Amino acid sequence: EVQLVESGGGLVKPGGSLRLSCVASGFTFANVWMTWIRQVPGKGLEWVCRIKRRIESETTDYAAPVKGRFTISRDDSKNTLYLQMNSLKIEDTAVYYCATSVSLDAFDIWGQGTMVAVSS
Amino acid sequence: DIVMTQSPDSLAVSLGERATINCRSSQSVLYNSNNKNYLAWYQQKPGQPPKLLIYGASTRESGVPDRFSGSGSGTDFTLTISSLQAEDVAVYYCQQYYSTPFTFGPGTKVDIK
């Protein structure tokens, strides 16, 4: 079964850090670009960042609101995607989804999401 | 950044009737070298992640009922549900994946009248 499972969410104070993980199964993880997308509960979807494949030097792209604070990385040997979130702000509160496309097209595989709450 | 807009914000349609959602991008998402529009439609139900319905503006994802169809090119796109079913109640998002950041529209909520 094709699957993405996120973990690592939780409650953190402003200025704190958190690392999210996303474990993939059912497809060849090393062959796909991986993406984090977030959603404030009850609101719309926001693309956060993307990492390309090793053959593409694992090139990364970030949305402006998180650039310099968040770092996306991957471990193909563990079929795992990571999101290191530093200097967290209240406005980073959201459900964080990992997503991918097995055909390098639109996002056809999504995880169930992990909730990150930033509050004092 | 490419800005995505959708209309209407919400709509209520009778069962079996047609629902039409519009999406516009602030710049073309048509890649001329392959004549492909990098535009997708997603359906999201409460408590669930989004589900891909349409990619390339008009190609239905495997397993998606054929009452869902996508059309348009360049900057203007439409998602049509030809005969609304109860299970289609959801929020629908368009998304461009032409250039990063891959932006989403604000969503259109579809309900039963």
Side-chain angles (χ1 to χ4, degrees), chain A residues 37 39 43-47 50 61 63 97 105-108 110-112, chain B residues 36 40 42 44 48-50 52 55-56 61 93 95 97 100-102 104:
Chain A
I37 293 162
Q39 184 174 37
K43 302 297 183 182
L45 298 160
E46 181 184 21
W47 180 91
R50 175 192 65 187
D61 294 281
Y97 297 102
D105 206 284
F107 302 125
D108 53 2
W110 295 68
Q112 286 299 311
Chain B
K36 177 177 176 178
Y42 300 87
Q44 188 177 31
Q48 297 183 18
L52 178 64
Y55 61 94
E61 173 71 346
Y93 296 93
Q95 181 226 356
Y97 51 105
T100 57
F102 293 158
F104 291 85

Side-chain angles (χ1 to χ4, degrees), chain B residues 22-54:
Chain B
N22 299 302
C23 173
R24 176 168 288 177
S25 56
S26 62
Q27 62 190 76
S28 176
V29 298
L30 173 63
Y31 194 44
N32 290 325
S33 65
N34 60 7
N35 200 37
K36 177 177 176 178
N37 287 283
Y38 285 73
L39 189 284
W41 289 97
Y42 300 87
Q43 175 193 66
Q44 188 177 31
K45 298 180 179 180
Q48 297 183 18
K51 173 189 174 183
L52 178 64
L53 297 177
I54 303 285

Side-chain angles (χ1 to χ4, degrees), chain B residues 67-85:
Chain B
R67 64 180 180 273
F68 291 92
S69 64
S71 63
S73 184
T75 61
D76 290 280
F77 302 91
T78 300
L79 175 70
T80 300
I81 309 173
S82 61
S83 175
L84 192 76
Q85 305 300 302

Side-chain angles (χ1 to χ4, degrees), chain A:
Chain A
E1 180 189 5
V2 171
Q3 194 170 237
L4 294 171
V5 179
E6 303 97 335
S7 62
L11 176 63
V12 61
K13 289 181 166 50
S17 298
L18 212 54
R19 188 176 85 153
L20 307 183
S21 300
C22 168
V23 177
S25 58
F27 62 95
T28 305
F29 181 76
N31 289 352
V32 301
W33 297 351
M34 292 298 300
T35 296
W36 288 100
I37 293 162
R38 66 185 181 183
Q39 184 174 37
V40 174
K43 302 297 183 182
L45 298 160
E46 181 184 21
W47 180 91
V48 176
C49 55
R50 175 192 65 187
I51 186 167
K52 292 187 177 180
R53 301 169 294 183
R54 178 174 291 184
I55 59 172
E56 294 152 322
S57 303
E58 299 185 359
T59 301
T60 57
D61 294 281
Y62 295 91
V66 307
K67 197 168 187 178
R69 299 187 299 121
F70 290 12
T71 302
I72 187 172
S73 61
R74 63 191 298 161
D75 185 337
D76 292 348
S77 69
K78 296 181 179 179
N79 288 347
T80 302
L81 174 73
Y82 301 101
L83 182 64
Q84 178 66 45
M85 303 186 295
N86 298 330
S87 303
L88 281 161
K89 304 177 180 180
I90 291 174
E91 52 264 39
D92 295 319
T93 294
V95 174
Y96 283 74
Y97 297 102
C98 59
T100 190
S101 168
V102 293
S103 57
L104 298 183
D105 206 284
F107 302 125
D108 53 2
I109 306 172
W110 295 68
Q112 286 299 311
T114 187
M115 182 69 202
V116 172
V118 185
S119 174
S120 54

